[in-house]
């Protein structure tokens, strides 16, 4: 265990799930998870910066392998958005590409052994450091509520203030004044369910994946020059490798799901009822 061999299993897990926090003022309301912010920005700069550099150095004709790989991702995202939204994709396609790349980059940090991160950051003088921003609910909810505000914005833009308010009070049960309140309550519940489910889905999957890696790390901690210790060490190695391979699919799938649902919600905002 990187944080010290005297840690118990519960304290080991708690330590790795602790953010590096900075609190301003009294009461702890203004608290920043510094590690989440730094890692989120770093992954965004690396991910989107890579695409920008490839676009700047792109060549005509037969592209190189890396350029071809980037073009494949861009084309894949564009075709996905084309199936979701038949209108102009000038805003939605770049947004979807940004979401997919950024979420994938943040998720991918879960493949870096947490004990390596702990050793490096402790060596630099930091008491705690979570390397996976999407295991922080503030990150996933921040993104999901950003999508929510985009949904509201495009709803007003596509239908006008009067049209959207009329829809809130008259859909789906009809325009009878008796049904205005049930319609409004149902629509508000539906609106709020979108960002909550979007943020919780990503957070829950990544948080659970990180916990599995921690449990496998605890299994390795009992490895010793005994039959049971050698068996525990071998099991930890094999299971960690297998889980990492499977987790790659989870990382990709969660980034894809978050991108598609965000695009679907924004596309639904343009629909008239």
């Amino acid at each position: 265990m990187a944080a010290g061999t005297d840690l118990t299993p519960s304290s080991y897990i708690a330590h790795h799930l602790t953010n590096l926090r900075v609190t301003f003022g009294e009461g702890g309301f203004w608290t920043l998870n510094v590690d989440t912010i730094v890692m989120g920005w770093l992954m965004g700069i690396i991910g989107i910066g890579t695409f920008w550099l490839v676009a700047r150095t792109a060549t005509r004709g037969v592209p190189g392998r890396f350029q071809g790989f980037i073009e494949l991702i861009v084309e894949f995202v564009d075709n996905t958005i084309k199936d979701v939204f038949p209108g102009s994709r000038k805003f939605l396609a770049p947004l979807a590409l940004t979401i997919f790349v950024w979420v994938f980059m943040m998720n991918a940090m879960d493949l870096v052994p947490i004990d390596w991160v702990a050793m490096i950051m402790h060596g630099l003088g930091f008491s705690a450091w979570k390397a996976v921003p999407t295991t922080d609910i503030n990150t996933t909810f921040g993104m999901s509520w950003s999508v929510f505000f985009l949904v509201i914005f495009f709803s007003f833009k596509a239908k006008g203030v009067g049209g959207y308010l009329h829809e809130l009070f008259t859909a789906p049960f009809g325009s009878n004044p008796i049904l205005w309140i049930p319609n409004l309550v149902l629509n508000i519940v539906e609106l709020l369910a979108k960002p909550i489910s979007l943020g919780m889905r990503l957070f829950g999957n990544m948080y659970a994946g990180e916990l599995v890696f921690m449990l496998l790390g605890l299994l390795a901690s009992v490895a010793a020059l005994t039959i049971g210790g050698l068996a525990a060490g071998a099991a930890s190695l094999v299971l960690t490798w297998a889980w990492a391979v499977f987790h790659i699919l989870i990382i990709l799938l969660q980034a894809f799901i978050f991108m598609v649902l965000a695009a679907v919600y924004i596309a639904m905002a343009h629909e008239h009822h």
Side-chain angles (χ1 to χ4, degrees):
M1 299 182 189
T5 56
D6 58 331
L7 287 177
T8 64
S10 59
S11 61
Y12 172 80
I13 293 175
H15 172 75
H16 282 299
L17 293 178
T18 301
N19 288 100
L20 179 64
R21 295 185 173 95
V22 174
T23 302
F24 300 92
E26 298 181 359
F29 179 80
W30 294 108
T31 300
L32 299 179
N33 291 344
V34 178
D35 44 8
T36 296
I37 296 172
V38 172
M39 295 304 299
W41 273 91
L42 181 60
M43 293 301 101
I45 291 172
I46 293 175
I48 304 303
T50 300
F51 278 70
W52 179 79
L53 287 175
V54 171
R56 289 290 301 271
T57 59
T59 57
R60 296 180 179 273
V62 180
R65 291 183 179 180
F66 189 63
Q67 179 182 333
F69 174 69
I70 296 299
E71 290 178 356
L72 181 65
I73 295 176
V74 173
E75 184 177 355
F76 167 73
V77 172
D78 187 60
N79 289 335
T80 302
I81 300 305
K82 186 187 299 183
D83 295 336
V84 172
F85 184 61
S88 175
R89 303 187 302 279
K90 290 183 178 180
F91 174 81
L92 193 54
L95 175 66
L97 179 63
T98 302
I99 291 174
F100 178 74
V101 173
W102 194 23
V103 173
F104 170 76
M105 291 295 293
M106 290 191 289
N107 289 351
M109 288 303 298
D110 208 14
L111 298 177
V112 179
I114 55 177
D115 286 332
W116 293 7
V117 175
M119 286 188 294
I120 293 173
M121 300 314 296
H122 289 169
L124 295 175
F126 296 102
S127 59
W129 192 273
K130 286 183 66 176
V132 189
T134 44
T135 59
D136 184 347
I137 198 169
N138 296 286
T139 299
T140 59
F141 266 26
M143 292 188 296
S144 66
W145 283 104
S146 296
V147 172
F148 171 79
F149 289 122
L150 285 173
V151 169
I152 299 299
F153 171 79
F154 282 106
S155 294
F156 281 116
K157 183 179 180 181
K159 306 161 189 175
V161 176
Y164 185 50
L165 291 178
H166 179 269
E167 180 180 292
L168 289 177
F169 282 93
T170 60
F173 299 128
S175 57
N176 191 309
I178 300 177
L179 300 175
W180 285 359
I181 299 302
N183 284 331
L184 179 62
V185 171
L186 182 64
N187 283 316
I188 290 176
V189 171
E190 181 184 1
L191 280 172
L192 294 179
K194 292 176 180 177
I196 293 174
S197 62
L198 192 61
M200 287 299 297
R201 180 183 293 106
L202 178 58
F203 166 74
N205 279 276
M206 297 311 301
Y207 190 87
E210 189 174 38
L211 280 177
V212 171
F213 277 122
M214 292 180 193
L215 294 175
L216 293 175
L218 285 171
L219 180 61
S221 69
V222 301
L225 294 178
T226 62
I227 295 178
L230 291 175
S236 174
L237 181 62
V238 172
L239 292 174
T240 299
W241 179 84
W243 178 249
V245 172
F246 177 71
H247 203 54
I248 294 174
L249 299 177
I250 297 177
I251 288 170
L252 278 169
L253 184 61
Q254 289 305 313
F256 176 75
I257 290 175
F258 198 98
M259 175 197 73
V260 170
L261 289 179
V264 168
Y265 293 156
I266 294 175
M268 291 173 59
H270 290 79
E271 297 178 356
H272 293 266
H273 298 282

